């Protein structure tokens, strides 16, 4: 069997998309494994779920930090976990240019929004309501 891709999932809240990825990773022949769930919110409920499922977690609040300094902490945790790919699953932070450049081609946002037009929550509902595709 081919070696599985190692992913880190970044979340900011409940972690419903993270949970879907985690459980999918446990299906026979899944091409990836979740090696870390990290958050900018230590109280994010998704962290507790990941921990209960035996997945290593990392959290550090971003308040009072520069974007670059916080991104560096998150990236250090991702690298320490041995992740090859980052999945942004409801991660409600704008990432620094350097972070994005270093992970170019190895980062996927599964909770996209039409930024800066639809910041925050209910992105899809607001975009559909406005007639955007």
């Amino acid at each position: 069997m081919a070696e599985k891709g190692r992913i880190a999932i970044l979340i900011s809240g409940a972690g419903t998309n993270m949970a879907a990825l985690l459980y999918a990773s446990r299906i026979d022949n899944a091409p990836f494994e979740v090696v870390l769930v990290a958050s900018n919110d230590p109280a994010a409920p998704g962290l507790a779920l990941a921990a209960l499922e035996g997945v290593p977690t990392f959290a550090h609040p971003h308040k009072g930090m520069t974007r670059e300094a916080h991104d560096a902490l998150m990236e250090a945790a991702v690298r320490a976990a041995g992740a090859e790919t980052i999945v942004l699953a409801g991660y409600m932070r704008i990432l620094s240019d350097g972070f994005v450049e270093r992970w170019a081609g190895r980062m996927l946002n599964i909770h996209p929004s039409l930024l800066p037009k639809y910041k925050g929550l209910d992105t899809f509902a607001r975009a559909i309501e406005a007639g955007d595709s």
Side-chain angles (χ1 to χ4, degrees):
M1 183 167 93
E3 188 174 312
K4 293 183 177 219
R6 299 170 54 83
I7 68 167
I9 303 174
L10 275 52
I11 65 171
S12 289
T16 53
N17 287 318
M18 174 276 300
L21 287 166
L22 175 59
Y23 296 133
S25 75
R26 294 181 174 169
I27 295 171
D28 287 343
N29 299 319
F32 67 95
E33 64 179 313
V34 179
V35 297
L36 179 71
V37 174
S39 181
N40 62 308
D41 180 359
L47 291 171
L49 174 62
L52 283 171
E53 290 292 339
V55 176
T57 62
F58 173 82
H60 196 286
H62 62 271
K63 302 250 189 281
M65 298 183 75
T66 66
R67 189 169 311 282
E68 291 77 11
H70 188 263
D71 286 356
L73 287 175
M74 298 296 282
E75 187 171 13
V78 166
R79 290 190 185 281
E84 303 156 336
T85 303
I86 294 174
V87 178
L88 306 171
Y91 190 59
M92 304 300 281
R93 297 267 305 150
I94 296 172
L95 298 167
S96 63
D97 290 345
F99 185 96
V100 173
E101 288 166 7
R102 285 188 298 280
W103 288 90
R106 299 178 298 137
M107 185 164 47
L108 175 68
N109 184 6
I110 65 166
H111 187 282
S113 65
L114 299 174
L115 290 173
K117 195 172 181 181
Y118 299 105
K119 292 181 183 176
L121 302 174
D122 302 315
T123 298
F124 297 116
R126 290 185 289 133
I128 291 168
E129 206 171 275
D132 285 328
S133 60

